[in-house]
């Protein structure tokens, strides 16, 4: 009996813990504590108060959503990082001449120092609806909404003839002050059209930037309570007891509460056991007559409300009864199986005299079943170039034109733009990337140069590095060549022998050979515990730098964490991975299930095969043997040739080959 009550209480506590955000675990804000401020420059700032743990009291600590999308500025804090350079040559295009424009800009978001001071003053003074003495804690933690959370909205740049090349960062920056790039080489017509929207038709330009984010906020999901009217229950008991005494010894038990009457008013020797269905019928009757009143204010449709309600019913059943295994091992009823999925045989219950006697003295009793729900919400930040262009149109460093008339003095800038994912991987998997550039000249020495980009370079200079090539007397029209090599954790390099690749004057996007994946592994801890499983391990195989590697994600039942996450890094050209469950059983040891595969899906649920649930001996022998044959990978996760399994999934997992 005590074990069952502990289990029900533990489940209720776990449900409450997982559904209530804690300030120490992650930055979660309260959706009902929202402020919308208007600054003196017209900027709209949306703030949310920090969500308090286990409390509806509104916090005075506020975080702001991404705001004030604008052009970046150089270290001098004066020069905008914007370039619109129109160019033309003496020669016509048919004779090898060129004409058009280069558009390049870096953008960032976040409050300026002046805006931040104004927001802090408004909060401190309690203006515009803010509680007095409120505090700005900074920008709200956000993450990109989707794989391409940065969008360029432009009819010109989306036209291949008007803009032959467009280079951009893919993901919106998640911290204020971090920069993203947009660059384009416009044709002559594209340059004129874009310039016209900048300088003549000024209501709006033909270039908008949209950034999409997601942030976590706590919303009220449901509020509930259970009121037990013990006075009404006692009155009904006493009426049934009167009937019971009149027909003692006959078939009647004295109404719906007959079985409980034996426990409360009768002699102990007369107390008889009852089935689960009989006891549950008594509880359902008390609910129907509103002796037990269950109220939920469901603001969000969520199946967990039903689970909490059912958990309380079973908790109440355990309190009012004492249970034991039946002497006759009969199968459980459908109701009993629904309440206790892991039960093998039915149980018998006797009513708890002490519980009823003490409860009748309380008259009424209230249980509160409130919980909150943390959800992710999308947020979009959009701005048009018209709001930025006035500060750059008269700046010769930002807007200008060039007449390309002397080939000797012609310089070429080779732009090396780091992919945003690569930036995030520095110090995790990547130490630095080195790019070697060469240009064969028709006369004189060939041009050779190199750039190395690491986390310190990105911090000081942003995502772009440049190599300038002087044409001089070179009449070789061939473009340059480059090769890239990544320095990885552990002192490894990839590829070991990089090949030269033909470059493009518009620039080179540096994409790392691997990409991050955040794997979510979830299981039903109650199911695992009932089966005698103390640990479930997700064993994964995937390609990394062309090699098959292994990662294990363990989940220990005793820790009470049904969802764990881990970031892995897979080859960019890999579509998926293989995985299997390795279960550690109290008595049987390690049980290795069959391998399976996933494509573009980073969520795995620990599904237990029916054969394991049924204790199928043949199946158990098979997975026990497989558990004994598990091979350990090397220190870097690399799998030996004898242990490789990805060849079996060639149709699902794209095989990466290296030169």
């Amino acid at each position: 009996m005590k074990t069952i009550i502990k289990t029900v209480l533990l489940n209720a506590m776990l449900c409450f813990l997982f559904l209530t955000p804690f300030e120490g675990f992650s930055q979660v804000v309260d959706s009902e504590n929202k402020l919308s401020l208007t600054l003196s420059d017209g900027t709209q700032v949306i703030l949310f108060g920090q969500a308090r743990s286990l409390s509806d009291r509104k916090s005075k600590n506020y975080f702001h959503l991404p705001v004030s999308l604008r052009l970046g500025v150089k270290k001098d804090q004066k020069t905008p990082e914007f370039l619109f350079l129109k160019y033309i040559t003496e020669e016509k295009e048919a004779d090898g001449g060129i004409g058009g424009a280069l558009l390049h800009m870096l953008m960032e978001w976040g409050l300026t120092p002046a805006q931040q001071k104004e927001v802090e003053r408004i909060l401190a003074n309690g203006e515009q609806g803010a509680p007095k003495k409120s505090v700005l804690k900074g920008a709200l933690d956000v993450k990109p909404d989707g794989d391409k959370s940065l969008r360029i909205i432009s009819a010109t740049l989306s036209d291949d003839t008007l803009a032959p090349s467009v280079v951009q960062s893919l993901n919106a920056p998640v911290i204020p002050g971090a920069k993203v790039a947009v660059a384009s080489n416009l044709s002559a017509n594209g340059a004129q059209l874009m310039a016209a929207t900048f300088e003549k038709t000024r209501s709006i330009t033909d270039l908008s930037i949209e950034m999409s984010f997601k942030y976590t906020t706590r919303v009220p999901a449901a509020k509930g309570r259970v009121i037990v009217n013990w006075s009404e229950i006692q009155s009904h008991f006493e009426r049934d007891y009167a009937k019971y005494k009149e027909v003692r010894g006959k078939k009647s038990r004295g109404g719906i509460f007959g079985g409980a009457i034996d426990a409360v008013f009768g002699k102990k020797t007369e107390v008889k056991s009852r089935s689960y269905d009989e006891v549950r019928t008594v509880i359902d009757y008390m609910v129907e007559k509103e002796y037990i009143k269950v109220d939920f204010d469901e603001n969000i449709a969520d199946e967990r409300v039903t689970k909490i309600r059912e958990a309380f019913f079973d908790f109440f059943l355990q309190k009012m009864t004492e249970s034991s295994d039946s002497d006759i091992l009969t199968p459980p009823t459908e109701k009993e199986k629904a309440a206790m999925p892991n039960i093998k045989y039915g149980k018998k219950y006797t009513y708890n005299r002490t519980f009823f006697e003490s409860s009748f003295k309380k008259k009424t009793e209230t249980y509160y079943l409130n919980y909150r729900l943390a959800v992710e919400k999308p947020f979009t930040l959009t701005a048009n170039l018209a709001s930025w262009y006035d500060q750059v149109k008269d700046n010769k460093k930002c807007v200008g034109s060039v007449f390309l008339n002397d080939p000797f003095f012609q310089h070429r800038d080779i732009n090396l733009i780091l992919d945003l994912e690569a930036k995030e991987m520095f110090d995790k998997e990547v130490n630095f990337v080195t790019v070697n550039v060469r240009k064969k000249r028709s006369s004189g020495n060939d041009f050779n140069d190199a750039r190395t980009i690491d986390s310190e370079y990105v911090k000081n200079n942003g995502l772009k590095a440049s190599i300038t090539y002087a044409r001089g007397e070179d009449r070789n029209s061939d473009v340059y060549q480059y090769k890239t090599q990544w320095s990885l954790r552990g002192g490894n390099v990839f590829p070991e022998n990089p090949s030269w690749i033909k470059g493009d004057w518009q620039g080179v996007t540096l994409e790392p050979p691997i990409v991050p994946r955040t794997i979510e592994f979830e299981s039903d801890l109650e199911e695992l515990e009932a089966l005698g499983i103390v640990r479930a391990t997700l064993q994964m195989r995937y390609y990394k730098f062309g090699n098959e590697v292994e990662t294990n994600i363990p989940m220990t039942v005793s820790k009470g964490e049904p969802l764990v996450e881990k970031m892995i890094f897979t080859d960019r050209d890999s579509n998926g991975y293989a995985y299997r469950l390795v279960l550690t059983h109290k008595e049987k040891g390690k049980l290795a299930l069959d391998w399976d595969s996933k494509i573009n899906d980073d969520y795995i649920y620990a599904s237990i095969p029916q054969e394991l649930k049924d204790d199928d001996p043949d199946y158990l022998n098979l997975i026990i043997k497989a558990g004994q044959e598990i091979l350990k990978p090397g220190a870097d996760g690399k799998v030996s040739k004898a242990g490789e399994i990805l060849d079996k999934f060639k149709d699902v997992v794209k095989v990466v080959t290296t030169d």
Side-chain angles (χ1 to χ4, degrees):
M1 172 64 184
K2 292 181 179 179
T3 301
I4 295 175
I5 292 179
K6 287 181 179 178
T7 301
V8 174
L9 286 172
L10 178 61
N11 292 341
M13 289 178 71
L14 288 175
C15 186
F16 182 80
L17 288 173
F18 288 131
L19 296 176
T20 304
F22 283 80
E23 293 167 9
F25 292 161
S26 62
Q27 189 195 83
V28 181
V29 292
D30 187 351
S31 66
E32 295 189 316
N33 189 5
K34 177 181 178 182
L35 294 175
S36 181
L37 308 182
T38 302
L39 305 186
S40 57
D41 62 3
T43 301
Q44 299 290 317
V45 183
I46 298 176
L47 305 97
F48 285 97
Q50 188 172 16
R52 291 182 178 272
S53 299
L54 307 177
S55 173
D56 287 327
R57 190 162 57 91
K58 292 185 177 181
S59 171
K60 291 186 179 182
N61 294 333
Y62 285 91
F63 297 89
H64 70 81
L65 285 175
V67 66
S68 190
L69 181 59
R70 60 187 181 273
L71 292 173
V73 293
K74 300 183 71 174
K75 290 183 178 180
D76 61 10
Q77 297 298 312
K78 295 179 181 179
T79 306
E81 293 177 306
F82 177 88
L83 174 66
F84 185 65
L85 182 64
K86 294 181 284 187
Y87 60 85
I88 193 171
T89 59
E90 293 277 12
E91 299 85 0
K92 296 180 180 179
E93 186 174 346
D95 298 326
I98 57 174
L102 293 178
L103 173 66
H104 196 118
M105 56 185 179
L106 298 181
M107 286 147 295
E108 62 184 41
W109 62 265
L111 296 171
T112 64
Q115 289 174 332
Q116 180 167 331
K117 288 182 180 179
E118 185 174 359
V119 172
E120 290 172 346
R121 177 184 56 77
I122 292 173
L123 294 178
N125 295 339
E127 301 171 12
Q128 299 190 36
K132 201 166 185 178
K133 295 185 179 180
S134 296
V135 178
L136 177 64
K137 303 297 287 185
L140 181 61
D141 286 347
V142 295
K143 61 182 179 181
D145 188 0
D147 295 332
K148 294 183 179 180
S149 53
L150 174 68
R151 290 183 59 215
I152 300 173
I153 304 170
S154 170
T156 304
L157 297 189
S158 61
D159 189 320
D160 292 341
T161 59
L162 298 176
S165 67
V166 177
V167 181
Q168 69 167 95
S169 303
L170 294 179
N171 291 327
V174 297
I175 56 176
K179 297 175 182 179
V180 292
V182 173
S184 177
N185 184 19
L186 298 164
S187 68
N189 289 333
Q192 294 177 72
L193 185 59
M194 184 66 75
T197 68
F198 288 169
E199 300 161 1
K200 297 178 182 179
T201 308
R202 291 302 313 284
S203 62
I204 189 171
T205 68
D206 183 35
L207 179 59
S208 294
I209 304 297
E210 179 184 85
M211 296 181 181
S212 300
F213 304 93
K214 289 193 292 188
Y215 64 95
T216 303
T217 178
R218 188 188 72 187
V219 297
K223 290 187 177 181
R225 66 179 180 180
V226 179
I227 301 175
V228 184
N229 191 330
W230 288 112
S231 297
E232 289 291 339
I233 295 173
Q234 183 179 10
S235 298
H236 201 123
F237 265 50
E238 291 172 348
R239 289 195 299 271
D240 283 356
Y241 182 55
K243 297 178 183 178
Y244 176 78
K245 288 194 296 184
E246 293 176 4
V247 294
R248 185 185 296 275
K250 297 183 180 180
K251 291 183 179 181
S252 173
R253 294 179 182 174
I256 191 69
F257 292 120
I261 287 172
D262 286 332
V264 181
F265 298 111
K267 297 178 181 179
K268 291 185 178 181
T269 55
E270 298 174 337
V271 175
K272 295 182 180 180
S273 61
R274 298 290 183 262
S275 69
Y276 174 89
D277 288 359
E278 288 177 311
V279 179
R280 182 59 193 260
T281 299
V282 172
I283 298 177
D284 291 340
Y285 180 81
M286 288 191 280
V287 172
E288 178 185 343
K289 294 297 184 181
E290 295 191 347
Y291 302 157
I292 299 177
K293 190 172 182 180
V294 183
D295 291 323
F296 265 98
D297 178 13
E298 300 182 27
N299 299 326
I300 293 180
D302 196 297
E303 62 180 4
R304 283 172 281 191
V305 174
T306 301
K307 291 181 180 179
I308 290 178
R309 182 188 289 113
E310 289 301 316
F312 173 79
F313 286 159
D314 284 324
F315 165 69
F316 193 73
L317 178 146
Q318 305 303 335
K319 288 190 67 174
M320 64 184 285
T321 63
E322 294 178 350
S323 66
S324 62
D325 292 331
S326 172
D327 295 332
I328 303 175
L329 299 180
T330 57
T333 64
E334 292 301 319
K335 288 184 179 180
E336 200 167 5
K337 284 193 294 185
M340 294 172 280
N342 297 321
I343 191 171
K344 190 171 183 180
Y345 299 107
K347 292 182 178 292
K348 293 295 183 180
Y349 299 83
T350 56
Y351 289 98
N352 188 324
R353 177 194 298 265
T354 304
F355 168 74
F356 279 102
E357 289 176 344
S358 61
S359 297
F360 286 160
K361 298 176 182 179
K362 298 177 184 178
K363 304 303 181 183
T364 61
E365 190 172 11
T366 302
Y367 298 85
Y368 291 95
L369 305 177
N370 296 352
Y371 74 90
R372 303 171 178 88
L373 189 65
V375 298
E376 286 188 337
K377 289 194 173 183
F379 175 78
T380 300
L381 185 62
T382 305
N384 184 264
L385 187 58
S387 60
W388 312 326
Y389 192 71
D390 283 344
Q391 63 179 300
V392 301
K393 65 179 181 179
D394 297 323
N395 191 326
K396 294 182 179 180
K397 295 180 181 180
C398 300
V399 179
S401 59
V402 60
F403 185 56
L404 307 178
N405 61 343
D406 190 341
F408 182 86
F409 293 102
Q410 190 177 66
H411 286 77
R412 295 279 196 178
D413 282 338
I414 301 171
N415 295 315
L416 310 174
I417 301 174
L418 191 68
D419 182 85
L420 194 62
E421 286 181 346
K423 174 180 176 293
E424 295 176 348
M425 288 165 59
F426 277 131
D427 300 328
K428 293 180 181 178
E429 288 288 323
V430 176
N431 298 321
F432 57 84
V433 57
T434 298
V435 184
N436 287 275
V437 175
R438 72 182 182 184
K439 173 69 169 69
K440 293 183 178 181
R441 289 189 169 106
S442 57
S443 62
N445 296 327
D446 291 342
F447 173 78
N448 291 277
D449 203 351
R451 289 290 182 275
T452 296
I453 303 174
D454 59 11
S455 58
E456 189 66 22
Y457 179 92
V458 173
K459 180 180 177 181
N460 296 327
N461 303 283
L463 300 176
K464 187 185 75 169
S466 295
I467 295 177
T468 301
Y469 157 70
R471 181 173 179 180
E473 295 180 353
D474 178 30
R475 287 176 172 76
N476 185 350
S477 60
D478 292 342
V479 295
Y480 64 92
Q481 292 178 307
Y482 73 95
K483 61 180 180 181
T484 304
Q485 191 172 57
W486 298 81
S487 172
L488 313 168
R489 289 180 60 185
N492 299 316
V493 293
F494 184 86
E496 291 185 7
N497 299 300
S499 301
W500 290 101
I501 302 172
K502 184 179 179 180
D504 191 299
W505 289 121
Q506 281 72 47
V508 174
T509 299
L510 304 177
E511 296 179 330
I514 56 175
V515 293
R517 287 175 177 266
T518 300
I519 304 299
E520 294 182 305
F521 178 39
E522 186 174 11
S523 69
D524 185 337
L525 298 182
E526 292 184 9
E527 180 183 37
L528 296 179
E529 185 176 19
L531 292 171
I533 296 169
V534 296
R535 173 177 286 187
T537 301
L538 177 63
Q539 193 175 64
M540 304 182 63
R541 294 284 184 85
Y542 50 90
Y543 285 111
K544 182 178 178 182
F545 305 117
N547 299 312
E548 181 172 336
V549 298
E550 177 177 304
T551 290
N552 291 283
I553 305 177
M555 178 184 293
T556 303
V557 173
S558 62
K559 290 184 178 180
E561 298 177 354
L563 178 68
V564 293
E565 294 183 353
K566 186 170 184 178
M567 179 178 287
I568 64 172
F569 296 88
T570 67
D571 281 339
R572 179 174 292 276
D573 294 332
S574 179
N575 292 327
Y577 53 87
Y579 72 96
R580 70 173 176 179
L581 294 179
V582 178
L583 308 174
T584 303
H585 194 276
K586 289 181 179 179
E587 300 170 354
K588 300 180 178 67
K590 291 191 181 298
L591 313 175
L593 308 188
D594 291 337
W595 288 98
D596 203 349
S597 60
K598 286 270 188 180
I599 303 177
N600 299 326
D601 185 358
D602 296 337
Y603 171 82
I604 296 176
Y605 181 79
S607 180
I608 306 302
Q610 189 62 43
E611 294 90 340
L612 178 56
K613 297 178 182 179
D614 296 339
D615 283 333
D616 186 312
D618 293 335
Y619 183 74
L620 284 174
N621 289 335
L622 185 66
I623 61 178
I624 290 173
K625 183 179 179 182
Q628 295 169 346
E629 297 174 352
I630 296 176
L631 300 176
K632 289 186 177 181
D636 58 355
K638 188 175 179 180
V639 178
S640 65
K641 284 290 183 183
E644 291 181 352
I645 58 96
L646 288 181
D647 282 346
K648 300 177 183 179
F649 300 96
K650 285 183 178 179
D651 295 338
V652 175
V653 181
K654 182 179 180 182
V655 178
V656 178
T657 59
T658 58
D659 296 335

